[in-house]
Amino acid sequence: MFENLINVLFPKVCSGCSNHLLSNENVICTICRHEIPLTNHHLNPENEALKKFYGKIPVEFASTLVYFHKKGIVQEMIHNLKYRGHEGIGAVLGEWQADTLKNLPVASTFDEIIPVPLHKKRLKERGYNQVSSFGLTLSEKLKINYNPNILSRNIYSKTQVRKNLLNRTEVLEHVFDVQFSEKEYNKHFLLIDDVLTTGSTLEACGRALLKIPGAKISIVCMAMSHS
């Protein structure tokens, strides 16, 4: 009864369209689930996500779950996750992504899941890393260790959205660092982030991870920016 009262006073709404959720719906309504554009990258080893890194860093596997369009459902979901504290979105997308990965042979080779880190100041401001719930859900579903400590962001910088590609790459070159011991040698790291755009942030993180002897990297994101 108390839970029903709470739902009346503070109804749960869809993170995609803001309509009230039905009792059997969680985080995202059924209509939005059907309208979200899926990438199906997991079905194509040479997909557009992997091609972002051709000639830049060696990537074993890359995949994103959904397309991110301006003013679309996915943009609203990611903004709710990133700026409004709706961490349940990351968990839901993590469950969906885990379902696409679990039967792929490459998934059995992943040793650790590594989130793109926030600077300590940004983490304090926001209170959470927006990819944590995504990564923790992947960790649980795929039975892979989640390690948020191996990568660090050394430089606090404002958003990179307005920077051109050249400046963005130059800025990010020295932003990330890696702390490792011999136990990290020869591991296959699954690097995760929220949205794949130019790929420069993930490239910089990948370069840091590849300082580890014998390291290999794969990349998985919630969404991919798509015109």
Side-chain angles (χ1 to χ4, degrees):
M1 182 180 294
F2 181 72
E3 183 178 350
N4 290 336
L5 179 61
I6 291 295
N7 289 336
V8 170
L9 296 175
F10 305 100
K12 296 178 181 179
V13 299
C14 173
S15 293
C17 65
S18 297
N19 288 330
H20 289 180
L21 292 172
L22 301 177
S23 59
N24 63 335
E25 295 176 331
N26 179 40
V27 180
I28 304 166
C29 71
T30 303
I31 293 175
C32 282
R33 282 177 182 256
H34 287 294
E35 292 184 355
I36 289 173
L38 300 175
T39 66
N40 289 317
H41 284 161
H42 63 291
L43 301 177
N44 177 16
E46 300 296 324
N47 60 62
E48 59 193 323
L50 184 68
K51 290 177 181 178
K52 287 276 188 180
F53 304 98
Y54 280 1
K56 298 175 181 177
I57 55 172
V59 175
E60 304 297 315
F61 169 83
S63 181
T64 70
L65 182 66
V66 297
Y67 284 118
F68 180 108
H69 296 109
K70 289 184 178 180
K71 299 183 180 179
I73 293 171
V74 175
Q75 182 187 56
E76 184 66 16
M77 289 169 56
I78 297 296
H79 281 195
N80 278 326
L81 168 62
K82 194 169 182 177
Y83 303 115
R84 299 166 190 147
H86 298 186
E87 293 188 82
I89 296 168
V92 167
L93 295 178
E95 288 183 6
W96 294 0
Q97 186 67 282
D99 283 341
T100 71
L101 299 176
K102 63 184 180 182
N103 294 322
L104 297 180
V106 70
S108 65
T109 71
F110 300 146
D111 295 300
E112 289 193 332
I113 296 171
I114 312 294
V116 170
L118 297 180
H119 187 272
K120 290 181 179 178
K121 182 178 179 181
R122 178 60 54 80
L123 184 60
K124 185 176 181 180
E125 290 171 350
R126 188 171 295 167
Y128 61 98
N129 184 332
Q130 69 271 14
V131 299
S132 292
S133 57
F134 180 69
L136 287 167
T137 303
L138 286 175
S139 173
E140 177 186 355
K141 298 296 182 181
L142 300 178
K143 309 301 180 187
I144 303 169
N145 184 50
Y146 178 75
N147 187 347
N149 302 313
I150 193 169
L151 272 182
S152 61
R153 186 184 291 253
N154 299 323
I155 300 172
Y156 176 83
S157 58
K158 294 183 178 179
T159 180
Q160 303 293 316
V161 170
R162 294 182 181 86
K163 294 183 181 293
N164 62 42
L165 179 58
L166 177 61
N167 288 339
R168 183 182 172 94
T169 302
E170 289 174 347
V171 166
L172 288 169
E173 185 177 356
H174 304 292
V175 168
F176 300 101
D177 198 8
V178 61
Q179 300 292 329
F180 62 92
S181 64
E182 192 171 337
K183 68 180 182 179
E184 271 80 44
Y185 289 8
N186 303 308
K187 283 190 174 181
H188 187 176
F189 298 103
L190 180 61
L191 182 62
I192 62 168
D193 202 4
D194 51 6
V195 181
L196 172 60
T197 51
T198 65
S200 55
T201 297
L202 287 157
E203 179 188 345
C205 288
R207 289 185 185 278
L209 286 172
L210 289 170
K211 294 176 183 178
I212 302 172
K216 295 190 293 186
I217 60 169
S218 287
I219 292 171
V220 164
C221 299
M222 302 178 206
M224 180 173 183
S225 182
H226 196 260
S227 58

